[in-house]
Amino acid sequence: MDARFSYYGTATAGKFMKYMQSAAKAVSGSTLPSTTVHLVELRASQINGCGFCVDMHSKEAAHAGETSVRLNLVSAWREATVFTDPERAALELAEQGTRLADGTGVSDEVWETAAKHYDEEELAALVSLIALINAWNRMNVITRQPAGAYQAGQFG
């Protein structure tokens, strides 16, 4: 499969990509645990069917030391015993924040649970991360970015 479009092939898309990368730096520079970042990126990408991002984020997480057991269980995190309570709260927030079309939005209960585990700065980073990964997923799905060839650290 070939991509329909090169992000850097036009001035508009290239400029947009720079802004997206700047937004990513704000999240990566936060106090939100990197393990949580990897899990949220992977789960939202699974939900959205973004093969490129599933490939990328699973490889980046493994490169950062995440275990194959945990990576393999992200899609079944509710039944898995390998995730901490804060990670579970982040995964639930990510799921509800990603599945907005289901019409339920993010429940007060899910928000309150996340707020028990993350301070205001971390919540800001988590919400920003969920919005950002969903944007990346949509861009990659729309343009059919192929999965499988990503190498950990490829984008710096």
Short mmCIF file of all heavy atoms in Angstrom, two decimals, residues 83-112:
data_model
loop_
_atom_site.label_atom_id
_atom_site.label_comp_id
_atom_site.label_asym_id
_atom_site.label_seq_id
_atom_site.Cartn_x
_atom_site.Cartn_y
_atom_site.Cartn_z
N PHE A 83 -1.75 -3.38 34.52
CA PHE A 83 -1.78 -1.92 34.47
C PHE A 83 -2.09 -1.34 35.84
O PHE A 83 -2.91 -1.88 36.58
CB PHE A 83 -2.79 -1.42 33.43
CG PHE A 83 -2.50 -1.93 32.05
CD1 PHE A 83 -3.24 -2.95 31.49
CD2 PHE A 83 -1.43 -1.41 31.32
CE1 PHE A 83 -2.95 -3.44 30.22
CE2 PHE A 83 -1.12 -1.90 30.06
CZ PHE A 83 -1.89 -2.92 29.51
N THR A 84 -1.46 -0.21 36.14
CA THR A 84 -1.70 0.46 37.42
C THR A 84 -3.03 1.20 37.38
O THR A 84 -3.60 1.43 36.30
CB THR A 84 -0.58 1.48 37.71
OG1 THR A 84 -0.66 2.54 36.74
CG2 THR A 84 0.80 0.82 37.69
N ASP A 85 -3.51 1.61 38.54
CA ASP A 85 -4.76 2.38 38.59
C ASP A 85 -4.63 3.70 37.82
O ASP A 85 -5.56 4.06 37.08
CB ASP A 85 -5.18 2.63 40.04
CG ASP A 85 -5.72 1.36 40.70
OD1 ASP A 85 -6.09 0.40 39.98
OD2 ASP A 85 -5.76 1.33 41.94
N PRO A 86 -3.53 4.45 37.93
CA PRO A 86 -3.41 5.66 37.11
C PRO A 86 -3.42 5.35 35.60
O PRO A 86 -4.05 6.09 34.83
CB PRO A 86 -2.07 6.26 37.54
CG PRO A 86 -1.87 5.75 38.93
CD PRO A 86 -2.44 4.37 38.93
N GLU A 87 -2.76 4.28 35.20
CA GLU A 87 -2.77 3.92 33.77
C GLU A 87 -4.18 3.55 33.32
O GLU A 87 -4.61 3.95 32.22
CB GLU A 87 -1.81 2.75 33.52
CG GLU A 87 -0.36 3.14 33.64
CD GLU A 87 0.59 1.97 33.68
OE1 GLU A 87 0.16 0.81 33.94
OE2 GLU A 87 1.79 2.20 33.47
N ARG A 88 -4.90 2.85 34.14
CA ARG A 88 -6.28 2.48 33.81
C ARG A 88 -7.15 3.74 33.66
O ARG A 88 -7.97 3.83 32.75
CB ARG A 88 -6.88 1.59 34.90
CG ARG A 88 -6.28 0.21 34.97
CD ARG A 88 -6.83 -0.55 36.20
NE ARG A 88 -6.51 -1.94 36.12
CZ ARG A 88 -7.00 -2.80 35.24
NH1 ARG A 88 -7.86 -2.41 34.34
NH2 ARG A 88 -6.64 -4.06 35.25
N ALA A 89 -6.95 4.69 34.55
CA ALA A 89 -7.71 5.94 34.47
C ALA A 89 -7.38 6.68 33.17
O ALA A 89 -8.29 7.21 32.51
CB ALA A 89 -7.40 6.82 35.68
N ALA A 90 -6.12 6.71 32.79
CA ALA A 90 -5.71 7.38 31.55
C ALA A 90 -6.26 6.64 30.33
O ALA A 90 -6.72 7.28 29.36
CB ALA A 90 -4.19 7.47 31.48
N LEU A 91 -6.23 5.32 30.36
CA LEU A 91 -6.76 4.54 29.23
C LEU A 91 -8.26 4.74 29.08
O LEU A 91 -8.76 4.87 27.95
CB LEU A 91 -6.41 3.06 29.40
CG LEU A 91 -4.95 2.71 29.17
CD1 LEU A 91 -4.63 1.32 29.71
CD2 LEU A 91 -4.59 2.82 27.69
N GLU A 92 -8.98 4.79 30.19
CA GLU A 92 -10.43 5.02 30.12
C GLU A 92 -10.73 6.42 29.59
O GLU A 92 -11.63 6.60 28.76
CB GLU A 92 -11.08 4.82 31.49
CG GLU A 92 -12.60 5.00 31.47
CD GLU A 92 -13.35 3.96 30.67
OE1 GLU A 92 -12.82 2.85 30.44
OE2 GLU A 92 -14.51 4.25 30.28
N LEU A 93 -9.99 7.41 30.07
CA LEU A 93 -10.17 8.77 29.56
C LEU A 93 -9.86 8.83 28.06
O LEU A 93 -10.59 9.46 27.29
CB LEU A 93 -9.29 9.75 30.34
CG LEU A 93 -9.47 11.23 30.01
CD1 LEU A 93 -10.87 11.71 30.36
CD2 LEU A 93 -8.42 12.06 30.74
N ALA A 94 -8.81 8.15 27.66
CA ALA A 94 -8.45 8.11 26.24
C ALA A 94 -9.54 7.45 25.41
O ALA A 94 -9.88 7.94 24.32
CB ALA A 94 -7.12 7.37 26.05
N GLU A 95 -10.08 6.37 25.92
CA GLU A 95 -11.15 5.68 25.17
C GLU A 95 -12.38 6.57 25.02
O GLU A 95 -12.91 6.72 23.93
CB GLU A 95 -11.53 4.36 25.84
CG GLU A 95 -10.53 3.28 25.57
CD GLU A 95 -11.06 1.89 25.89
OE1 GLU A 95 -12.26 1.71 26.17
OE2 GLU A 95 -10.23 0.96 25.84
N GLN A 96 -12.83 7.15 26.12
CA GLN A 96 -14.02 8.00 26.03
C GLN A 96 -13.75 9.25 25.21
O GLN A 96 -14.62 9.71 24.46
CB GLN A 96 -14.55 8.34 27.42
CG GLN A 96 -15.22 7.15 28.06
CD GLN A 96 -16.06 7.50 29.27
OE1 GLN A 96 -16.24 8.67 29.63
NE2 GLN A 96 -16.57 6.48 29.93
N GLY A 97 -12.54 9.81 25.32
CA GLY A 97 -12.19 10.98 24.52
C GLY A 97 -12.00 10.68 23.05
O GLY A 97 -12.09 11.58 22.21
N THR A 98 -11.75 9.43 22.73
CA THR A 98 -11.58 9.01 21.33
C THR A 98 -12.92 8.60 20.72
O THR A 98 -13.17 8.85 19.54
CB THR A 98 -10.58 7.84 21.26
OG1 THR A 98 -9.31 8.32 21.73
CG2 THR A 98 -10.42 7.30 19.85
N ARG A 99 -13.78 8.01 21.50
CA ARG A 99 -15.06 7.50 20.99
C ARG A 99 -16.19 8.54 21.12
O ARG A 99 -17.32 8.19 21.47
CB ARG A 99 -15.45 6.23 21.75
CG ARG A 99 -14.50 5.08 21.56
CD ARG A 99 -15.01 3.86 22.31
NE ARG A 99 -14.07 2.79 22.36
CZ ARG A 99 -13.93 1.84 21.44
NH1 ARG A 99 -14.68 1.86 20.36
NH2 ARG A 99 -13.04 0.88 21.60
N LEU A 100 -15.90 9.77 20.82
CA LEU A 100 -16.90 10.83 20.96
C LEU A 100 -18.13 10.60 20.09
O LEU A 100 -19.23 10.99 20.46
CB LEU A 100 -16.28 12.18 20.62
CG LEU A 100 -15.18 12.65 21.58
CD1 LEU A 100 -14.59 13.96 21.08
CD2 LEU A 100 -15.70 12.78 22.99
N ALA A 101 -17.96 9.96 18.96
CA ALA A 101 -19.08 9.71 18.06
C ALA A 101 -20.10 8.75 18.66
O ALA A 101 -21.24 8.68 18.19
CB ALA A 101 -18.59 9.16 16.72
N ASP A 102 -19.72 8.04 19.71
CA ASP A 102 -20.67 7.14 20.39
C ASP A 102 -21.73 7.94 21.14
O ASP A 102 -22.72 7.37 21.60
CB ASP A 102 -19.94 6.21 21.36
CG ASP A 102 -19.07 5.19 20.64
OD1 ASP A 102 -19.14 5.10 19.40
OD2 ASP A 102 -18.29 4.50 21.32
N GLY A 103 -21.52 9.25 21.29
CA GLY A 103 -22.53 10.12 21.85
C GLY A 103 -22.55 10.26 23.35
O GLY A 103 -23.39 10.96 23.90
N THR A 104 -21.62 9.61 24.05
CA THR A 104 -21.64 9.71 25.51
C THR A 104 -20.65 10.72 26.04
O THR A 104 -20.76 11.14 27.18
CB THR A 104 -21.34 8.33 26.14
OG1 THR A 104 -20.09 7.88 25.66
CG2 THR A 104 -22.42 7.32 25.79
N GLY A 105 -19.67 11.11 25.24
CA GLY A 105 -18.66 12.04 25.70
C GLY A 105 -17.82 11.42 26.81
O GLY A 105 -17.71 10.21 26.90
N VAL A 106 -17.24 12.26 27.63
CA VAL A 106 -16.44 11.79 28.76
C VAL A 106 -17.28 11.98 30.02
O VAL A 106 -17.68 13.09 30.35
CB VAL A 106 -15.11 12.57 28.87
CG1 VAL A 106 -14.35 12.17 30.12
CG2 VAL A 106 -14.27 12.36 27.62
N SER A 107 -17.54 10.88 30.70
CA SER A 107 -18.40 10.94 31.89
C SER A 107 -17.70 11.65 33.04
O SER A 107 -16.46 11.69 33.11
CB SER A 107 -18.81 9.53 32.32
OG SER A 107 -17.70 8.86 32.90
N ASP A 108 -18.49 12.18 33.96
CA ASP A 108 -17.94 12.81 35.17
C ASP A 108 -17.15 11.79 35.98
O ASP A 108 -16.10 12.11 36.53
CB ASP A 108 -19.06 13.38 36.03
CG ASP A 108 -19.71 14.61 35.41
OD1 ASP A 108 -19.08 15.25 34.54
OD2 ASP A 108 -20.86 14.92 35.80
N GLU A 109 -17.63 10.56 36.03
CA GLU A 109 -16.94 9.52 36.79
C GLU A 109 -15.54 9.26 36.24
O GLU A 109 -14.57 9.16 37.00
CB GLU A 109 -17.77 8.23 36.76
CG GLU A 109 -17.12 7.08 37.50
CD GLU A 109 -17.92 5.79 37.38
OE1 GLU A 109 -19.03 5.78 36.82
OE2 GLU A 109 -17.40 4.77 37.86
N VAL A 110 -15.43 9.18 34.93
CA VAL A 110 -14.12 8.94 34.32
C VAL A 110 -13.20 10.12 34.56
O VAL A 110 -12.01 9.95 34.89
CB VAL A 110 -14.28 8.62 32.82
CG1 VAL A 110 -12.95 8.71 32.08
CG2 VAL A 110 -14.90 7.25 32.64
N TRP A 111 -13.72 11.33 34.43
CA TRP A 111 -12.90 12.52 34.69
C TRP A 111 -12.43 12.55 36.15
O TRP A 111 -11.26 12.80 36.42
CB TRP A 111 -13.67 13.79 34.34
CG TRP A 111 -12.82 15.00 34.60
CD1 TRP A 111 -12.84 15.80 35.71
CD2 TRP A 111 -11.76 15.47 33.78
NE1 TRP A 111 -11.87 16.77 35.62
CE2 TRP A 111 -11.19 16.59 34.43
CE3 TRP A 111 -11.25 15.08 32.55
CZ2 TRP A 111 -10.14 17.32 33.90
CZ3 TRP A 111 -10.20 15.81 32.00
CH2 TRP A 111 -9.65 16.91 32.68
N GLU A 112 -13.34 12.30 37.07
CA GLU A 112 -13.00 12.33 38.49
C GLU A 112 -11.95 11.27 38.84
O GLU A 112 -11.06 11.52 39.65
CB GLU A 112 -14.26 12.17 39.33
CG GLU A 112 -15.15 13.39 39.28
CD GLU A 112 -16.57 13.15 39.78
OE1 GLU A 112 -16.84 12.06 40.35
OE2 GLU A 112 -17.41 14.03 39.58
#
